[in-house]
Amino acid sequence: MSPPVLQCFGLTRRFGGLVAVDDVSLALASGALHAVIGPNGAGKSTLANLLSGELTPTSGTLQLDGESVTGWPAWRMARAGVGRSFQRTNIMRPLSVQENVRLAAQARLTPPTRLWRNAAKEAAPQIAARAALERVGLGAEAARKAGALSHGQQRQLEIAMALATAPRVLLLDEPLAGMGPEESETLAALLRDLARDHAVLLVEHDMDVVFRVADQVTVMVEGRVLLSGTPAVVRGSAAVRDAYLGQAT
Amino acid sequence: MVIASRRGHLLLGGAALVVALLPLVAGAYVLQLVSTALVMALFALSLQLLVGGTGLVSLGQAGFFGLGAYAVYFVQGKGAAASLLLTLPVAALLAGLAALAVGALALRTRGFFFLMTTLAFGQMLYFLIHDAPWAGGADGIFVQRPNFGLFGLDYVPARRDRPAVLLWTNLALLCAAYAGLVVVMRSLFGRMLQGIKENDHRMQALGHNTYAVKLVAFVLAGALAGVAGHQWAMTEAFVNPELLGWHRSAEALLMVLLGGLGALHGPLLGAFAFIGLNELAQLVTERQRLVEGLVILAAVLLLRDGLAGLRWRSRA
Ligand SMILES: Nc1ncnc2c1ncn2[C@@H]1O[C@H](COP(=O)(O)OP(=O)(O)O)[C@@H](O)[C@H]1O
Ligand SMILES: [Mg+2]
């Protein structure tokens, strides 16, 4: 396996008395899909927020390509190649689908000296946005208002926005949540495809999908890592069945 | 925030032409009134960059407006007028620097707290000018109108021509500022402002340093408010601390609201409507503030997109 791109050591985050993420270490390598599962409130989203710079850790460190990036703000992490999608759809609703994705592409493609140029005449972000929309299957919806898309399409848009920033690391927080079976099938295939040339962290509820697409699975319970291993190992673990899989059924 | 269509810009251009030709038919009083409206339109336009353009509702914009006005007083020599080519850049610079300091702190807060922080900083600027011994006193002070000097060739309009010359100057600056903001809002930078207005958090996650972007917009708006303040001082030949007070910030906010948050040219309509209304109310009653308030309330309630949202319904 290739060396880790994004790596954390002893990551801990407290909210008052609650330890939402407790001493978590993991490594994301390019070409691998790392799934994080666990019951509601296990700290999965908080972990994603720590990795993306959205939250600063109470303790622990974060490394990107071996360099410390602990405490970097979210925008800087994104610029450095860490893209993400959100569990709760987080888009610019009144703007067009195309503009949502174009803004994502613009963040990477526009040096400050070009910011005064007419946006309508700047081709590079437009083209990158188009490509990202095509990739998630939203090419036909580009002109629509983002807020007018169906729930499933908004989930796709989330991913297109993350893709348009041309990230090396993708942190996807329950991208399949609320999608119909057909849409999630398409998206699962896309995830597999993305994992070929990205380091992907997938927080997901749907066990079928996780065991199908993941190279490695980390099980979190109450902020801690219960177990981390290949899908086969996790599926076979009695501890995981007790702590989580048993609950789900 | 939308930018007017080609047809809208033709109408605005036509209106500007009418204003430019006013000195042919109107007397000094009307010219002075329209001059004031042009200055307030410029001031409200500076606020629109923040409110309609970026989603930042500030109640401290008059602080920068007033500093721009006081720049004329600070720069003038003893009893001698200074050149516009000096006073205008100084006004923009002074207001812009103040906006940089205020914005750097205020932009760390959001929503309601941003409103309160800008209000507090605006009032601090007000009290600074109000109480400072070097600022001409709490009751205000007369200033020399800047002249149109260039390389020692001073043009000082004859007294009789002055209202017209001031009107043209204010009109020219308003047109230039509006054209400049059209360029800004159409630029990649303007698109970022729009994205920040809709979802600041998401813009950060996409890799935009939204704090820095908002600070640039805040400084730009502050400098523009300074230019408006400068034109106020030039038009009135008088400055007082009230120019920096929160009343004036609120007034500009009302003009923006009345004109419509959704269009860049909204504040132009809002300012003229507001000042026209003020004039009308003065004719019929002593309680003009009450009339004003009621009409604005009605307008804002009835017209969701302000005056700029009005359409000719005749064409299908
Ligand atoms: N901003 C916050 N403030 C306080 N508590 C929070 C915050 N975010 C998450 N939590 C708490 O941290 C725990 C983990 O939440 P979360 O990471 O969202 O779990 P998951 O995504 O696994 O369902 C929960 O108990 C949640 O209530
Ligand atoms: Mg979650």
Side-chain angles (χ1 to χ4, degrees):
Chain A
M1 206 157 78
S2 46
V5 186
L6 186 66
Q7 209 170 359
C8 67
F9 305 94
L11 219 50
T12 300
R13 171 72 199 208
R14 295 171 186 277
F15 294 112
L18 176 82
V19 188
V21 168
D22 191 356
D23 192 24
V24 172
S25 303
L26 52 78
L28 303 177
S30 191
L33 195 149
H34 191 138
V36 175
I37 63 173
N40 259 329
K44 307 180 297 293
S45 294
T46 306
L47 176 63
N49 286 337
L50 288 168
L51 293 175
S52 69
E54 212 97 1
L55 290 172
T56 46
T58 310
S59 63
T61 57
L62 202 59
Q63 284 186 0
L64 188 64
D65 300 321
E67 308 271 338
S68 171
V69 293
T70 316
W72 278 24
W75 68 265
R76 209 168 156 202
M77 290 297 282
R79 285 279 175 101
V82 180
R84 69 164 303 177
S85 75
F86 290 84
Q87 181 174 1
R88 279 190 54 198
T89 302
N90 194 353
I91 55 180
M92 279 70 90
R93 302 182 65 86
L95 305 184
S96 73
V97 171
Q98 165 80 11
E99 179 63 7
N100 269 269
V101 188
R102 202 200 59 77
L103 280 168
Q106 176 179 327
R108 169 181 54 102
L109 291 172
T110 315
T113 48
R114 286 179 82 87
L115 284 177
W116 302 102
R117 288 163 173 264
N118 188 331
K121 292 185 181 148
E122 212 55 1
Q126 311 264 20
I127 294 166
R130 257 295 155 186
L133 282 175
E134 297 290 349
R135 189 149 188 203
V136 302
L138 276 182
E141 316 293 335
R144 286 178 69 191
K145 214 172 160 180
L149 295 180
S150 73
H151 177 78
Q153 287 173 322
Q154 291 187 4
R155 305 300 302 162
Q156 287 169 284
L157 174 58
E158 272 279 336
I159 293 170
M161 289 164 76
L163 282 182
T165 64
R168 289 173 298 147
V169 183
L170 269 171
L171 310 171
L172 306 174
D173 196 353
E174 306 207 15
L176 302 172
M179 273 198 177
E182 235 171 89
E183 288 168 323
S184 34
E185 202 53 45
T186 321
L187 199 56
L190 175 65
L191 289 178
R192 219 24 280 168
D193 192 29
L194 287 173
R196 278 207 300 244
D197 53 353
H198 293 81
V200 182
L201 178 95
L202 173 69
V203 175
E204 190 44 67
H205 243 79
D206 186 334
M207 287 308 128
D208 287 343
V209 174
V210 167
F211 288 130
R212 200 142 41 90
V213 301
D215 299 296
Q216 191 173 9
V217 179
T218 291
V219 186
M220 282 182 75
V221 175
E222 292 178 1
R224 293 170 175 277
V225 173
L226 182 70
L227 177 73
S228 194
T230 61
V233 169
V234 170
R235 211 199 299 249
S237 156
V240 171
R241 257 201 307 275
D242 290 347
Y244 179 51
L245 298 181
Q247 273 183 3
T249 50
Chain B
M1 192 166 71
V2 299
I3 295 165
S5 62
R6 188 174 295 253
R7 206 182 64 154
H9 277 159
L10 278 177
L11 285 172
L12 286 173
L17 196 64
V18 170
V19 169
L21 295 176
L22 266 185
L24 297 180
V25 290
Y29 179 79
V30 170
L31 295 187
Q32 171 81 18
L33 190 67
V34 173
S35 256
T36 306
L38 290 168
V39 171
M40 288 309 287
L42 182 56
F43 179 34
L45 189 63
S46 80
L47 188 59
Q48 178 75 322
L49 178 62
L50 298 180
V51 181
T54 321
L56 294 167
V57 184
S58 163
L59 254 182
Q61 193 70 355
F64 312 128
F65 176 80
L67 280 183
Y70 269 86
V72 175
Y73 171 69
F74 295 147
V75 169
Q76 71 184 4
K78 283 228 164 9
S83 163
L84 187 70
L85 293 177
L86 174 66
T87 55
L88 195 58
V90 168
L93 198 69
L94 185 65
L97 284 176
L100 181 64
V102 171
L105 293 165
L107 287 168
R108 302 203 174 275
T109 64
R110 272 161 216 287
F112 177 70
F113 295 98
F114 178 78
L115 190 93
M116 296 314 285
T117 315
T118 50
L119 173 63
F121 278 117
Q123 288 306 92
M124 275 163 62
L125 288 173
Y126 165 80
F127 282 114
L128 178 73
I129 294 295
H130 188 272
D131 298 332
W134 39 263
D139 296 328
I141 189 160
F142 287 97
V143 297
Q144 298 280 336
R145 286 194 176 86
N147 62 33
F148 297 82
L150 184 60
F151 307 124
L153 297 171
D154 288 358
Y155 165 62
V156 180
R159 198 184 182 83
R160 166 170 63 85
D161 299 335
R162 197 159 62 202
V165 171
L166 285 172
L167 179 109
W168 288 328
T169 311
N170 291 338
L171 180 65
L173 281 169
L174 178 61
C175 290
Y178 178 78
L181 285 184
V182 167
V183 171
V184 168
M185 290 316 293
R186 280 183 180 158
S187 71
L188 293 160
F189 178 78
R191 296 288 184 98
M192 287 201 282
L193 297 184
Q194 198 173 26
I196 289 170
K197 179 185 177 190
E198 303 307 342
N199 194 339
D200 190 331
H201 171 237
R202 185 48 154 151
M203 287 292 282
Q204 290 180 44
L206 293 177
H208 295 283
N209 182 356
T210 63
Y211 173 77
V213 172
K214 286 187 287 188
L215 189 56
V216 171
F218 197 83
V219 169
L220 209 59
L224 205 53
V227 170
H230 175 277
Q231 289 314 111
W232 176 278
M234 187 166 169
T235 306
E236 304 284 328
F238 178 74
V239 294
N240 65 4
E242 303 304 324
L243 294 177
L244 293 90
W246 73 271
H247 272 110
R248 198 160 283 274
S249 293
E251 203 169 87
L253 210 50
L254 267 180
M255 290 175 185
V256 167
L257 205 59
L258 184 62
L261 298 172
L264 182 59
H265 64 282
L268 310 185
L269 309 182
F272 272 83
F274 187 93
I275 284 172
L277 188 64
N278 194 344
E279 229 16 56
L280 282 180
Q282 241 165 30
L283 289 179
V284 295
T285 168
E286 308 243 294
R287 300 182 189 275
Q288 44 155 319
R289 292 277 168 208
L290 183 66
V291 176
E292 235 173 69
L294 287 175
V295 174
I296 289 170
L297 197 63
V300 170
L301 288 178
L302 295 178
L303 310 170
R304 277 208 53 200
D305 297 318
L307 294 174
L310 283 176
R311 293 275 181 279
W312 275 266
R313 299 191 193 281
S314 56
R315 32 170 73 209

